[in-house]
Amino acid sequence: MNYDYAKIAREVIAAVGGAENIRSAAHCATRLRLIVADREKADDDKVGEIDAVKGTFFTAGQYQIIFGTGHVNRVYEQIVQLGIAETTASEAKEAKMEGKNQLQKAIRTFGDVFVPVIPALVATGLFLGLKGALFNNNFLALFGLTLQDIPQTLQVLVDVLSGTTFAFLPAIVCWSTFRVFGGSPVLGLILGLMLVNGSLPNAYSVADPSSGVTPLMLFGFIPIVGYQGSILPAFVAGMIGSKLEKKLRKTVPPIFDFMITPFLVLFIMLVLSLLVIGPILHQLENVLLVIVETALGLPLGLGGLIVGFFWSIITLTGVYHVFNMLEISLLSNTCFNPFNAILCMCGFSSAGVCLAISIKARKKEIRAIGPSATASALLGIGEPALFGVILRYGLKPFLLSCSINGVAGMTAMLLGMQGTGNGITTIPGLLLYIYSPSQLIMYVLLAAAVFAAAFILTWMFAVPPEVMEADAPKKRRKQRQPLWRLLSRM
């Protein structure tokens, strides 16, 4: 369908209270994000009637309008051309933090650190999946080969592709943390690289009793190792280091700042990281990992039931970013991510619920946006389905989806499903399971069952009555007859 994006932009501005009520605008992959002066002036009903709009909600200090991929960027371009300012990084950060308590602010900040890291982890997950599938003895046996028949050079190249991200993960995390907290990202990068410098005992080798590698012992009781794959030490070091840098920038005379500040930041933070932050937080990270593994190992798949049921609720509240650390820790320590299977099934559940509502609905708006929202959910982008259809007219479809998510999560846990990465779900998530034929088959069968169950149960029990009300037909205006015809009838 072709849309007049200039007209849509004008209608959006008018519906949210006029240009004077819009401080600035930005957009993500699916949503137009407007920072408004007065939330009450935005008319949700009028916005919902605009062409291509799939839903609205207000969160993180922003009025967000769901357009979907391919549309939102075009609407945004027209919005900016009409004189609306682009949202700056500081404005977006202030809007996100507005009205939040300290815990919510901490979680949001933690999410801001890890969001830029996810693409690298996604790529690494795909490489690990392909490596597991192609360099698998079961697969190679089909061609009469074994792993020893693969050229060493090729194996090294694949190891570089699949292992680099986790080997230098502290450097990436430290860089991103400095960026978020206002420090110099390059100093964060160097500090993170110091934590995994080759002169330090490799953390993976130290953990392998057969390697013969042991930690360096300072004063006979402080173990010093590299922090390959560690998250918390790099995060805390980056947070403290960036604050230290900003303090030094204000204290050190300008003539010496260029030389003294970087020197002091790197020296102080390296000592603090290796002798204090690293040993303490690395142990804490191990404790958190044990807690998660214990939860996932609860009998009868109860861990999957709990995570699955509450996942959509967690997504709505915006605290799901904290799970990035847990998933990354699982991957870096075990190379597998059982969380991913649960989240993938949640995506298929949302897609099934959305499709059932959109097909059965008599309301034209839902029938129009439902199929595209379903396709988006099947590709891993669930906001159009969740906000545009499932939550649009009541809680019954949402609660049904949560229940199906819980059962699906429990089933995934009972089957022992686990991916080789994170950041991608639903249909693209298949790539994280091709390392094992049994995992891939279980993934496909469970995904089909979840999608079908969500569709059928929603169709039978959870389609909101509001969407079954057909739109009132538009009244046809009577055509005004010419005066000469009226006179001829007299």
Side-chain angles (χ1 to χ4, degrees), residues 167 170 191-208 211 213-218 221-230 233-234 270-283 285-286:
L191 177 59
L193 289 172
M194 288 178 173
L195 297 178
V196 293
N197 189 280
S199 299
L200 297 171
N202 186 282
Y204 294 120
S205 299
V206 171
D208 183 3
S211 68
V213 179
T214 58
L216 298 174
M217 301 302 294
L218 184 65
F221 66 94
I222 300 179
I224 298 178
V225 298
Y227 291 97
Q228 289 81 4
S230 295
L270 177 63
V271 173
L272 191 61
S273 298
L274 293 179
L275 302 187
V276 181
I277 298 173
I280 293 176
L281 290 182
H282 187 63
Q283 292 303 317
E285 194 172 48
N286 289 336

Side-chain angles (χ1 to χ4, degrees), residues 24-25 35 86-93:
S24 60
I35 297 179
E86 300 180 57
T87 301
T88 64
S90 60
E91 287 177 328
K93 186 174 182 179

